[in-house]
Amino acid sequence: MSIRITGMNSGLDTDSMVKELVNAYEKQGEKYTKAKTKTEWKQEAWSTLNSKIKNFYSKYASNMRFSSAYTKKATTVSDSSKATVITSSGAVNGTQSLKINSLAKAGYLTGGELSTDADGNKVTKSTTLGDLGFTGSATIKIGNDDPKTFEVDSETTMEEFAKFASAAGYNASFDEGTGRFFISSKSSGKEADFNITSDTFDGNRALAKLGLQSEDYYSELGNMRGNNLVAIAKQAAEDRGVEYSEDILNEFRAYRDEALAASNVEDNSIFAHKIDGEDAEIELNGVKFTSGTNTFSINGLTITAKDTTSDTLSLVTDTDYDDIYDNIKNFFNEYNSLMNEMDKLYNAASSKGYEPLTSDEKDAMTDDEIEKWETKIKDSLLRNDSELDTIASAMRRAMLSTFDIDGKTYSLSSFGINTLGYFEAADNEKNAYHIDGNSDDSSTSGNEDKLRAMIAS
């Protein structure tokens, strides 16, 4: 049989004992929680540093491995308002002549004004061809070599025709404010140009009602007489699949008279105006080149024509020493920034006595106090870290390498690129490199510019 002794009978304070045991477990739990938080912060610090190292490699170090980084070229244009040039490394150094004969244009059609329909109502997107006085049906084509077709009749609306032209691959809209169609090709050049036509008289009549016929159309139709008009009427009857009759001839006489009246209107607002798509043309060294755009890629030069010229421009291509120099300078700027940060992390002040705060401890502090406390810990997470030292040492050794070329030994110092003396360099900047003659570096700007001279030679 078991014997139980109560705290009162034994003289033991069991409540205190239990509390101490619970406190011990809580303290142990806090210890593990703080260690976990610290580990997570350290992982975040490494993740941030790894991203910077990867960015430095992919954006700077990797590209600097290739000869293309040291063969940059540039072309100067005698009048940059007329043309600009992008130069590839394969371009030939020297002076060339350029003349810009024409710029590329996109085809653009502005329709004639459709102010009111046959009943005097304002023309809108929902106005039909029937409202404009067109009867029957016809086929209309838009395009050039392989035009798209569209069947219209008296029920076809302005909006439906605009949608057809858009579906055919053009910019098209009917503007109710001006009562006009606006249709254009989506790119410049002859190949992208378009025309809106019909093979039948009724189709051309529908285009006239849509405001898409030129002044020449009205003039030509208005001048038709006798046999010409009869031939047109007979062809129209055949297209419609009906017998030719005097009524059809009279109908076309009426069309003719209407066209004649239109062609005599002093205000040309009823006629469509078309700007044809054109190719750009330049002459490079006396040889003509054409393009559907204003950009030409010729023998390593990408020439963008901006305006026509009456005189010849000169293009001077040479090695872009400044660009090569800037690439090297940018590389060292990024290297120094990364190396200085790693030195700062490795040499950080100790945060001994600082541990991540518990919820209760945070409740007793202000937000500013909490931030300063945690920053103190985070800044020291990679202090004296062996992995960080391994990475930084590898980078320092790489920069100290020498190379034998044609019997000569080269190092960074051969190009006037060195670290400062131990007592000259600021804290955590003792492994940073400085370029002699660099105007942006107060420490070495007064030294001889070996790097630029070496690039040029």
mmCIF file of all heavy atoms in Angstrom, residues 28 162 170 199 252 350:
data_model
loop_
_atom_site.group_PDB
_atom_site.id
_atom_site.type_symbol
_atom_site.label_atom_id
_atom_site.label_comp_id
_atom_site.label_asym_id
_atom_site.label_seq_id
_atom_site.Cartn_x
_atom_site.Cartn_y
_atom_site.Cartn_z
ATOM 1 N N GLN A 28 13.711 27.118 -20.585
ATOM 2 C CA GLN A 28 14.308 26.255 -21.605
ATOM 3 C C GLN A 28 13.617 26.466 -22.954
ATOM 4 O O GLN A 28 14.263 26.518 -23.992
ATOM 5 C CB GLN A 28 14.189 24.786 -21.166
ATOM 6 C CG GLN A 28 14.983 23.804 -22.010
ATOM 7 C CD GLN A 28 16.482 23.946 -21.815
ATOM 8 O OE1 GLN A 28 16.928 24.621 -20.881
ATOM 9 N NE2 GLN A 28 17.274 23.338 -22.662
ATOM 10 N N ALA A 162 -16.634 49.352 -89.964
ATOM 11 C CA ALA A 162 -15.387 49.634 -89.244
ATOM 12 C C ALA A 162 -14.845 48.357 -88.602
ATOM 13 O O ALA A 162 -13.624 48.113 -88.617
ATOM 14 C CB ALA A 162 -15.622 50.704 -88.184
ATOM 15 N N TYR A 170 -6.463 46.186 -89.898
ATOM 16 C CA TYR A 170 -6.165 47.619 -90.005
ATOM 17 C C TYR A 170 -6.766 48.368 -88.812
ATOM 18 O O TYR A 170 -7.660 47.865 -88.127
ATOM 19 C CB TYR A 170 -6.713 48.184 -91.319
ATOM 20 C CG TYR A 170 -6.147 47.474 -92.526
ATOM 21 C CD1 TYR A 170 -6.815 46.391 -93.082
ATOM 22 C CD2 TYR A 170 -4.918 47.831 -93.068
ATOM 23 C CE1 TYR A 170 -6.281 45.701 -94.166
ATOM 24 C CE2 TYR A 170 -4.375 47.152 -94.145
ATOM 25 C CZ TYR A 170 -5.060 46.091 -94.686
ATOM 26 O OH TYR A 170 -4.523 45.399 -95.748
ATOM 27 N N ASP A 199 -15.111 45.389 -107.384
ATOM 28 C CA ASP A 199 -15.052 45.047 -108.806
ATOM 29 C C ASP A 199 -16.353 45.384 -109.523
ATOM 30 O O ASP A 199 -16.463 45.191 -110.732
ATOM 31 C CB ASP A 199 -14.768 43.549 -108.970
ATOM 32 C CG ASP A 199 -13.382 43.174 -108.483
ATOM 33 O OD1 ASP A 199 -12.494 44.047 -108.532
ATOM 34 O OD2 ASP A 199 -13.194 42.034 -108.027
ATOM 35 N N PHE A 252 -28.483 54.705 -113.781
ATOM 36 C CA PHE A 252 -27.073 55.060 -113.839
ATOM 37 C C PHE A 252 -26.846 56.465 -114.373
ATOM 38 O O PHE A 252 -25.840 57.097 -114.055
ATOM 39 C CB PHE A 252 -26.291 54.018 -114.651
ATOM 40 C CG PHE A 252 -25.984 52.794 -113.830
ATOM 41 C CD1 PHE A 252 -26.923 51.784 -113.700
ATOM 42 C CD2 PHE A 252 -24.804 52.697 -113.129
ATOM 43 C CE1 PHE A 252 -26.668 50.691 -112.915
ATOM 44 C CE2 PHE A 252 -24.543 51.592 -112.356
ATOM 45 C CZ PHE A 252 -25.474 50.582 -112.237
ATOM 46 N N SER A 350 30.547 42.856 -31.666
ATOM 47 C CA SER A 350 29.892 41.752 -30.969
ATOM 48 C C SER A 350 28.556 42.209 -30.382
ATOM 49 O O SER A 350 28.401 43.369 -29.972
ATOM 50 C CB SER A 350 30.793 41.240 -29.846
ATOM 51 O OG SER A 350 30.099 40.298 -29.047
#
